[in-house]
Structures are given as structure tokens and as C-alpha cells.
Amino acid sequence: MHTEEMPDHADVKIHPPILTAIHILAAFLLKWFVNPFMSPPALELVGFALVVIGFIFGAAAFLAFRKARTTVMPHGSVSAIVSSGVFRFTRNPIYLGFLLMIIGFPLNFGTWWGLVLAPFFIHSANRLVIEREEAYLEK
């Protein structure tokens, strides 16, 4: 009987920043082709704030990974489970940050398409990345 060695990394189907970029790009393409959702200028500031908060979540998670001396890369081997820092408040601060950016960037540029696409990002991130990372970490 032939046994294959299990890889020492999560079997994610797409790199999370690429998945995020696809959703942000889709929001801008939708704005360009179909833009019934014009946002008031005040919401542009809200969008900017969401982008900044999203970046802070990501940076805080990166620092927590660095402090624990483990990888932030979903295709890398994990040497520690991080539950301190920003991870005390959310299990997936990087994906929360990405979500805030998907909503915030388009709002900052005058369109609501990021809000429309946010549920699609949540679903695809869960199916293609998060479920696979959690299965790997459980092992």
C-alpha cells in the first residue's frame, strides 16, 4: 500500500491578497461599467477610515505572527498558534482587514460596489482559504 506524506501547510486554493485584489478590482470595474450606486462625499471619508482600520488589523496580525516566530503565509509551515495581540479579539484579523479594505476602497472612490461584493468575498475566503487553514491547524 502506497502512503503519501501530507504536506506541512494549508491547502489553500488562492493566495488571500490575490482574492482581495480580485474583489477590489471587480468593484472598480463595476463602477466603471454600471454605477447606479453613487455615494455621498461623507461616505468617502468612511471608506478611507475603513481602509486604514483594515490595514491596522493586518499590520497588527503580522506583528503578532512575527513575535511568535511563525509564518503569516498560508502556504508556509506553522510553528506556533497565535492567540495573543489582535488575535484575542478576532480569529482572522487579516481577513477582517481585507474585508474592510474591500468595502472601504470603493467607498473612498465614490461607489457602493464593495458593500455588494463583500458577501462574495466572505464566502470565497471561507471556502477557498479559511476552512483549509483551520483544517491544517487542527492537525
Side-chain angles (χ1 to χ4, degrees):
M1 177 178 235
H2 184 268
T3 59
E4 290 185 31
E5 194 172 310
M6 295 295 294
D8 187 26
H9 58 81
D11 182 30
V12 298
K13 295 301 179 190
I14 188 168
H15 200 56
I18 292 171
L19 184 62
T20 303
I22 289 169
H23 283 80
I24 292 172
L25 178 62
F28 283 107
L29 288 173
L30 286 165
K31 177 187 181 205
W32 191 37
F33 288 113
V34 182
N35 197 22
F37 307 114
M38 293 299 294
S39 64
L43 280 181
E44 292 176 11
L45 291 173
V46 171
F48 181 76
L50 290 174
V51 170
V52 170
I53 293 166
F55 180 80
I56 290 170
F57 270 110
F62 176 79
L63 292 173
F65 279 122
R66 191 170 187 177
K67 184 178 179 182
R69 296 185 178 180
T70 191
T71 185
V72 69
M73 302 299 291
H75 292 86
S77 297
V78 173
S79 61
I81 301 292
V82 181
S83 59
S84 61
V86 71
F87 287 91
R88 289 183 312 217
F89 308 107
T90 176
R91 281 176 44 186
N92 295 303
I94 294 172
Y95 302 120
L96 178 58
F98 285 157
L99 176 65
L100 293 176
M101 289 180 191
I102 286 169
I103 295 168
F105 274 120
L107 274 179
N108 186 244
F109 285 90
T111 183
W112 294 74
W113 279 112
L115 280 169
V116 174
L117 292 173
F120 295 98
F121 172 76
I122 292 168
H123 177 75
S124 56
N126 274 317
R127 299 286 297 162
L128 300 173
V129 182
I130 295 170
E131 288 175 0
R132 295 165 185 279
E133 285 179 344
E134 290 182 354
Y136 165 69
L137 291 174
E138 206 172 275
K139 290 179 188 175

